[in-house]
Amino acid sequence: MNTQTGALLHQAHMTTIEALQSLDELLGSNKKAPAKDDLLARKLKQLARILKSEVESHFGFEENHLFKVFVEQGETGIVTMLTHEHRSILPLALQVADLAVAAAEAGFTDATWTEFKDAGAELVEREIFHIQKEEMGLLSAISALVDPETDEELADIYRREVG
């Protein structure tokens, strides 16, 4: 990783992948709704926090700052593709996050577990595929298209807006 912005995005991707793998393990190891306990509640709250950060702050940074740099250089193809994927992932991630928060408070019913399991499995598939694309294409494009001064400005914005 030879840009600050790319390194920050990569770090966020790894955090999100770890959360998605934990979600996938939870879904795969429970055919029926798991009983609510403190550990499950903490995991669900952490999952919700990471998902919301990914789709609200991280996607927002890319769309409001990074993609503008790409468009100014005529690189609209990658911007259009990734923005379209963001629009597909965002409502699903927020649905899973909301279900996780509700379950952390009240536990799962059979119906809410089924809804969480179906939405969570779909989210794992979409989000991991999206992150793989960004890791292979977007981070390389940042290295090729963003000059060091702009990279530093973008990294500062990312740290302020995303964390």
Side-chain angles (χ1 to χ4, degrees):
M1 204 74 40
N2 48 3
T3 65
Q4 293 180 52
T5 306
L8 291 167
L9 293 175
H10 174 73
Q11 185 176 21
H13 290 157
M14 295 303 106
T15 300
T16 302
I17 285 175
E18 188 175 311
L20 292 170
Q21 288 172 334
S22 178
L23 171 61
D24 197 41
E25 288 172 19
L26 174 67
L27 300 177
S29 63
N30 291 286
K31 299 247 183 259
K32 295 183 177 184
K36 180 184 172 239
D37 61 22
D38 290 343
L39 178 60
L40 178 62
R42 279 196 307 274
K43 286 183 176 181
L44 291 170
K45 287 178 183 177
Q46 181 181 28
L47 172 68
R49 184 177 39 77
I50 292 169
L51 290 177
K52 285 187 175 191
S53 176
E54 171 72 9
V55 300
E56 292 175 343
S57 302
H58 181 102
F59 284 6
F61 166 79
E62 290 175 347
E63 292 177 15
N64 296 324
H65 303 287
L66 180 60
F67 292 172
K68 288 182 178 180
V69 173
F70 283 33
V71 169
E72 288 170 2
Q73 297 183 41
E75 296 294 332
T76 58
I78 191 170
V79 169
T80 300
M81 177 189 66
L82 295 176
T83 300
H84 179 73
E85 288 183 12
H86 288 176
R87 299 291 180 266
S88 167
I89 293 168
L90 188 138
L92 185 59
L94 293 178
Q95 177 190 4
V96 171
D98 289 345
L99 291 168
V101 169
E105 296 299 323
F108 286 108
T109 64
D110 289 342
T112 60
W113 173 248
T114 298
E115 184 180 6
F116 181 77
K117 192 170 182 173
D118 292 347
E122 181 66 27
L123 177 64
V124 168
E125 183 179 318
R126 284 188 204 177
E127 182 85 40
I128 287 186
F129 187 54
H130 175 74
I131 289 172
Q132 289 171 338
K133 284 184 189 174
E134 288 199 354
E135 285 287 310
M136 291 186 302
L138 182 63
L139 300 187
S140 298
I142 293 170
S143 295
L145 298 172
V146 177
D147 63 68
E149 182 177 296
T150 304
D151 177 45
E152 188 166 330
E153 291 171 12
L154 288 170
D156 287 343
I157 292 168
Y158 187 91
R159 288 182 192 103
R160 279 196 317 270
E161 293 187 4
V162 181

